[in-house]
Amino acid sequence: QVQLVESGGGLVQAGGSLTLSCAASGGTFSRYAMGWFRQAPGKERVFAALISSSGGSINYAAPVKGRFTISRDNAKNTVYLQMNSLKPEDTAVYTCAAASGSMYGRYDYWGQGTQVTVSS
């Protein structure tokens, strides 16, 4: 059983930056693909960025490509999401998740989420 705890959310002005962290425990972190997902008010949860277990494969959703960077440190059991040039439309609850298979497959474990609010 993997437990995931996000941190780093908050309020930022448009154009600013934030870095989210997701600390994992209870499993072998390096075996899991990881993803950051976000859910804006009144909308469905969608993926923002995915990273394979080794970190060798990465995929970004079109709205964040070029502005967000996902990375992982398997020695620290942590995955990060560096968010630059933030826009009001990036406002959402950001949740990290772990997948025991492909990063494009089913995500088995989810964190509780962290709120990111971007003011205009």
Side-chain angles (χ1 to χ4, degrees):
Q1 190 80 7
V2 177
Q3 292 82 42
L4 302 171
V5 179
E6 302 96 337
S7 61
L11 174 64
V12 64
Q13 288 189 332
S17 299
L18 278 176
T19 299
L20 306 182
S21 299
C22 172
S25 62
T28 304
F29 181 71
S30 61
R31 293 181 179 177
Y32 291 91
M34 299 296 296
W36 283 100
F37 296 77
R38 64 183 188 175
Q39 186 169 18
K43 295 188 177 181
E44 292 187 352
R45 183 168 59 193
V46 296
F47 95 95
L50 310 174
I51 187 167
S52 64
S53 57
S54 68
S57 295
I58 287 174
N59 191 30
Y60 296 101
V64 309
K65 203 166 190 177
R67 300 186 297 121
F68 289 11
T69 301
I70 188 171
S71 62
R72 66 189 296 159
D73 186 337
N74 284 348
K76 295 183 178 180
N77 292 351
T78 302
V79 62
Y80 306 96
L81 187 67
Q82 172 70 42
M83 305 184 294
N84 298 327
S85 302
L86 283 161
K87 306 174 181 180
E89 50 264 43
D90 294 318
T91 295
V93 175
Y94 285 72
T95 305
C96 69
S100 55
S102 165
M103 67 182 191
Y104 297 109
R106 184 184 70 186
Y107 281 75
D108 305 296
Y109 304 101
W110 296 81
Q112 81 288 350
T114 186
Q115 177 70 46
V116 171
T117 303
V118 184
S119 63
S120 57

